[in-house]
Amino acid sequence: MPRPKALLGTGVILAFALTACEGEGAGSADPDPDADPSDLTAGVAMPTQTYERWLNDGAAVEEGLEELGYNVDLQYADDDIPTQSQQIDQMITQEVDVLIIASIDGSALTGQLDAAADAGIPVIAYDRLLTNSEDVDFYVTFDNYEVGVNQANALLYGLGVLDENFEEAQDAPEETLNIELFAGSLDDNNSHLFWEGAIDTLEPYIEDGTLEVTSGQTDIEQAATQRWEQETAQERMENLLTTHYSGDEELHGVLAPADPLSRGIIQALQNDGWGDTIEDGLPVVTGQDAEIASVSLIADGVQHSTIFKDTRQLADEAIVAAEAYLSGEEPEANDTETYDNGEIVVPSYLLDVEMVLEDNYEEILIDSEYYTQEQVDSGQL
C-alpha cells in the first residue's frame, strides 16, 4: 500500500529567523545578549517518566541545549501537580534564565507563571498549552487538531470506509459499523483538540449511519482517560465490553488517542476473546506517539495505527526558542491565532504529524533512524 501522502507532514525547517524581543509576557525583562552560554541556565519541567515520549523529549531538549553550552536543570514530576509546582518554584528561586514547561495540568501553574514574569524569566510551553495566564511567551507543539483528524481517518481506513488514498472506498461495508471512542485527560488542553479533530471527521459518518457508537458515550467527559493511564483505559474497555458487547453485538473499531491507552484497550479485547490480531478478528484500534511497544504491535498486525510526532523536531524548536530568548531576541511563530489560553493568544510554532501503518512504519520510523528494525522486532529500546 502506498504511503498516505495526503495526511503526512511535509517537513519542517528548524532554523528560522529571530527578531528583536518585543514580548510583554514573562520574558519582558532584557536578558544580557553578551552573556556566555555557560553562565545561563534553562529550567526544563517535564510531566512524567512513565511515558516513553517524555523521557525522549526531556533527554533531547537537555542534550541540545548542553551542546550549545547552556546549563540545564531537567526535572520530572511523576504526574504529580504539587511536585511540578515545587520544581518550577525552585527553578525560579535559583534564577534560571528561561523556562520550558510541559505541564501536567496546564491551568495549575498560574502562580509559578506570575513569579516567572516578576523575575523576567521567559516561559515556553512545551507541547501542552499553559492556560489562564498572560505570562506565557511562546508555545511549541504539533498541529493537534490534525492529530485528531489523522486518528479518525486511520480508523475509517482500517474499517474500510476510506481507501488507501483516504477517499470514499468503492467497496465500503454496507452494514453499520460499531465503534467506541476514547479521549485523553481533560486537564490536558491537547486532549480537547485531538477530540475535536477526530469528532469533526467522524461525525458525518455517525450521522448517516455508517458508524454507530454502541455505548452512546459520545461526549469527551464520558470518554476521557484521567492522566492518560493505560490501566484506566483497559478498565473502561472491559466495562464497555461487559455492558454492550456480551451478546452477539460486534465491535469493529476503537478511537484511541494515545499508544498506552491503545495497548490497554487491546489487552482488554484480547482477554475477552476478540482475537490476537486484526486478521483474527481484533477490532481496529488507533493510537498516537509511535511508542516502540505499539509500533511493534503495528508491525505484527495487532494495533492498526499510530500518529508519529517527531519529538526530535519538537525538541529542536524548543531549543531554537530558548536560545532566542537567552540571546535577547524572540523566536518567530508560524501561528498567532489558534492557541487562546483564556488570557492571551500565545504565539506558537506548529509541527506536522504523520500516520503510521503496518505498510509504512519502515519508511517513516526506520529510514529516518528514529528506531531500528531490531527495536521494532523486540518492542523495546
Side-chain angles (χ1 to χ4, degrees):
M1 190 203 77
R3 187 172 177 180
K5 296 181 180 177
L7 296 172
L8 299 183
T10 57
V12 178
I13 298 173
L14 296 175
F16 48 78
L18 303 176
T19 59
C21 184
E22 299 172 352
E24 295 299 329
S28 56
D30 292 329
D32 180 5
D34 299 320
D36 190 274
S38 63
D39 295 327
L40 301 173
T41 300
V44 181
M46 290 283 155
T48 180
Q49 299 183 77
T50 59
Y51 257 55
E52 176 186 304
R53 71 145 299 187
W54 293 118
L55 290 171
N56 293 338
D57 283 73
V61 172
E62 181 180 42
E63 180 180 352
L65 286 169
E66 288 181 344
E67 285 180 353
L68 293 171
Y70 298 105
N71 301 299
V72 179
D73 181 4
L74 171 63
Q75 300 288 334
Y76 287 90
D78 296 324
D79 264 336
D80 183 68
I81 295 170
T83 297
Q84 186 167 63
S85 299
Q86 292 167 8
Q87 289 171 343
I88 296 171
D89 282 336
Q90 184 178 40
M91 292 176 186
I92 295 169
T93 299
Q94 293 176 347
E95 299 183 341
V96 299
D97 299 284
V98 66
L99 280 167
I100 300 172
I101 301 173
S103 63
I104 299 168
D105 180 341
S107 66
L109 298 173
T110 53
Q112 285 69 37
L113 300 179
D114 286 345
D118 291 342
I121 302 171
V123 173
I124 301 166
Y126 186 96
D127 203 30
R128 293 177 172 179
L129 185 62
L130 295 163
T131 59
N132 301 328
S133 173
E134 62 183 15
D135 300 315
V136 184
D137 293 276
F138 203 69
Y139 182 34
V140 292
T141 190
F142 295 90
D143 191 330
N144 293 308
Y145 180 88
E146 284 301 314
V147 170
V149 170
N150 274 258
Q151 288 175 335
N153 278 319
L155 180 63
L156 291 166
Y157 170 64
L159 293 172
V161 177
L162 299 181
D163 64 18
E164 62 185 23
N165 296 313
F166 296 90
E167 299 174 352
E168 301 296 328
Q170 297 299 315
D171 56 350
E174 295 182 1
E175 73 275 11
T176 296
L177 302 171
N178 297 325
I179 65 170
E180 294 298 336
L181 309 173
F182 281 70
S185 193
L186 293 177
D187 53 15
D188 181 349
N189 186 70
N190 288 350
S191 297
H192 301 270
L193 293 165
F194 301 151
W195 180 265
E196 183 181 352
I199 295 303
D200 284 352
T201 305
L202 294 176
E203 198 164 39
Y205 298 95
I206 296 173
E207 290 178 350
D208 71 13
T210 301
L211 304 177
E212 180 177 353
V213 182
T214 306
S215 68
Q217 296 180 14
T218 57
D219 294 331
I220 189 171
E221 290 80 9
Q222 297 170 307
T225 310
Q226 181 69 5
R227 294 286 181 270
W228 299 91
E229 290 182 349
Q230 179 171 332
E231 297 77 8
T232 303
Q234 179 172 341
E235 182 179 356
R236 178 168 177 255
M237 188 73 253
E238 290 168 348
N239 291 336
L240 289 171
L241 292 172
T242 299
T243 305
H244 301 284
Y245 299 93
S246 57
D248 295 331
E249 198 74 32
E250 290 191 39
L251 175 62
H252 300 96
V254 182
L255 178 79
D259 287 342
L261 278 59
S262 310
R263 296 195 295 272
I265 291 164
I266 289 168
Q267 188 66 58
L269 291 165
Q270 290 176 331
N271 291 346
D272 201 45
W274 288 80
D276 292 329
T277 66
I278 296 172
E279 186 176 347
D280 295 332
L282 193 68
V284 171
V285 181
T286 65
Q288 178 182 192
D289 287 331
E291 292 193 352
I292 189 61
S294 284
V295 174
S296 183
L297 292 177
I298 290 169
D300 291 339
V302 178
Q303 183 171 320
H304 174 261
S305 57
T306 189
I307 304 302
F308 177 46
K309 303 188 302 186
D310 194 336
T311 55
R312 295 170 299 187
Q313 294 180 356
L314 185 64
D316 283 345
E317 291 304 337
I319 292 164
V320 168
E323 187 176 25
Y325 287 123
L326 293 169
S327 301
E329 299 174 319
E330 184 173 295
E332 182 178 319
N334 64 6
D335 185 298
T336 57
E337 298 178 358
T338 302
Y339 287 93
D340 187 337
N341 77 349
E343 291 291 334
I344 60 170
V345 176
V346 183
S348 305
Y349 197 91
L350 307 187
L351 293 157
D352 294 318
V353 300
E354 297 183 276
M355 183 193 297
V356 175
L357 305 162
E358 184 177 358
D359 292 334
N360 68 10
Y361 78 86
E362 293 180 355
E363 180 183 357
I364 295 175
L365 299 173
I366 295 176
D367 291 353
S368 72
E369 300 183 351
Y370 194 80
Y371 293 133
T372 66
Q373 185 63 58
E374 290 74 20
Q375 290 172 328
V376 172
D377 292 341
S378 68
Q380 297 180 338
L381 296 177

